[in-house]
Amino acid sequence: MSNILEVRGLKVMYGKSIAIHDINISVPEGGIVTLIGSNGAGKSTTLNACLGTVPATEGKILFAGEDITHASTAERVRRGLVLAPEGRHLFPYLSVQKNLLLGATQRSDKEGIQRDMEFCFELFPILKDRLKQKAGTMSGGQQQMLAIARGIMANPKLLCLDEPSLGLAPAVIDDIGNKIREINQSKGTSILLVEQNVHLAFGAASYCYTLQVGEMVAEGSVEEIRNNDVVKKAYFGG
Ligand SMILES: Nc1ncnc2c1ncn2[C@@H]1O[C@H](COP(=O)(O)OP(=O)(O)OP(=O)(O)O)[C@@H](O)[C@H]1O
Ligand SMILES: [Mg+2]
């Protein structure tokens, strides 16, 4: 099976401080992979380097077999590498509908855009009911659904999600996990899920990478990682 994303030997520095180093990640085509780690571990930095919003100091990023290490963010999005960023980054004063359409700005296939809009409404019916509502007045959970839907509107081959569980109630988090699997299954979209919530991460993904202060400390199938001593200690109190 070929990989949609390959991160090789990635290092990112902010000024003189090293945020992440020697990071290797593979996401197989059609797979769901999770990257877990606590606050400041370097999860968002890794995703942002994949998207090109922070520069890679060292290393390579391959997308669908091609080297995109030096491509612009817009070019990466056009190729199908899409991020639903942490903290949602919606346009709060624009309607749900406008936010969704802004996800599709790199596209010109009108029928495809319409079809994906319908898919988003099937996935998250609340968005259809609230099309004209300003995004900033939606609840936290609804905004998270909108952020994921906006990612879908970009027609991703790989959808990267940065902590979709942030600030959500447990019942809503379970629902988000189900929706992530549904996107993967019905559209074949590969998913790279960054999470601190291991319940969501392990429920949705089949393979897991674990970051600790900028270093990859464990990787393996979700079953393996569940039983990994380092991970058990960090997340389940030993
Ligand atoms: N723009 C920046 N300038 C300087 N340092 C930064 C910048 N962004 C992140 N960092 C630092 O890099 C490290 C990794 O941060 P990052 O945001 O990637 O962590 P994270 O794993 O996403 O954490 P969280 O779970 O809290 O979102 C932290 O020490 C952070 O302070
Ligand atoms: Mg983060």
Side-chain angles (χ1 to χ4, degrees):
M1 190 165 28
S2 60
N3 291 324
I4 186 74
L5 180 75
E6 270 181 52
V7 175
R8 291 186 189 157
L10 180 66
K11 176 179 183 177
V12 173
M13 297 186 72
Y14 294 115
K16 284 186 178 154
S17 71
I18 298 175
I20 51 170
H21 71 97
D22 201 20
I23 299 303
N24 296 290
I25 294 174
S26 298
V27 180
E29 234 165 275
I32 306 183
V33 168
T34 188
L35 173 63
I36 62 171
S38 11
N39 290 123
K43 306 181 299 298
S44 296
T45 298
T46 303
L47 286 188
N48 292 333
C50 289
L51 265 292
T53 52
V54 303
T57 309
E58 278 176 26
K60 265 193 179 165
I61 297 159
L62 304 179
F63 187 71
E66 291 186 50
D67 189 342
I68 57 156
T69 317
H70 303 291
S72 69
T73 298
E75 172 61 21
R76 296 179 206 216
V77 174
R78 263 196 301 279
R79 286 177 188 229
L81 175 53
V82 174
L83 169 67
E86 186 182 283
R88 304 174 194 123
H89 290 275
L90 298 167
F91 296 93
Y93 298 107
L94 295 183
S95 67
V96 166
Q97 186 172 30
K98 289 227 167 80
N99 270 276
L100 284 173
L101 288 172
L102 280 167
T105 43
Q106 302 290 330
R107 301 175 67 180
S108 52
D109 57 323
K110 282 215 175 80
E111 280 170 23
I113 292 171
Q114 193 51 43
R115 196 180 53 234
D116 286 341
M117 187 83 97
E118 293 299 327
F119 176 75
C120 290
F121 295 156
E122 277 167 35
L123 198 64
F124 302 119
I126 189 81
L127 298 181
K128 190 170 188 180
D129 299 340
R130 304 294 177 86
L131 263 188
K132 302 289 173 208
Q133 189 172 329
K134 286 196 174 66
T137 63
M138 302 273 278
S139 77
Q142 292 165 350
Q143 288 190 38
Q144 190 54 64
M145 293 171 199
L146 177 55
I148 296 172
R150 191 180 54 175
I152 292 170
M153 291 306 295
N155 194 25
K157 289 194 175 82
L158 173 68
L159 180 59
C160 302
L161 301 167
D162 196 351
E163 295 206 48
S165 76
L166 205 68
L168 303 184
V172 184
I173 293 175
D174 282 346
D175 194 43
I176 294 279
N178 293 334
K179 302 296 180 182
I180 290 170
R181 280 193 300 274
E182 204 173 320
I183 296 164
N184 172 255
Q185 275 160 23
S186 34
K187 289 183 74 72
T189 313
S190 315
I191 308 251
L192 177 54
L193 170 65
V194 156
E195 260 304 332
Q196 272 193 65
N197 183 310
V198 288
H199 175 72
L200 170 60
F202 291 171
S206 48
Y207 199 85
C208 178
Y209 291 89
T210 309
L211 262 182
Q212 244 173 32
V213 270
E215 272 184 78
M216 202 66 87
V217 292
E219 68 164 277
S221 70
V222 163
E223 302 325 308
E224 284 164 349
I225 293 294
R226 252 188 231 282
N227 296 308
N228 179 289
D229 287 338
V230 178
V231 177
K232 273 203 250 180
K233 211 168 171 178
Y235 290 95
F236 307 108

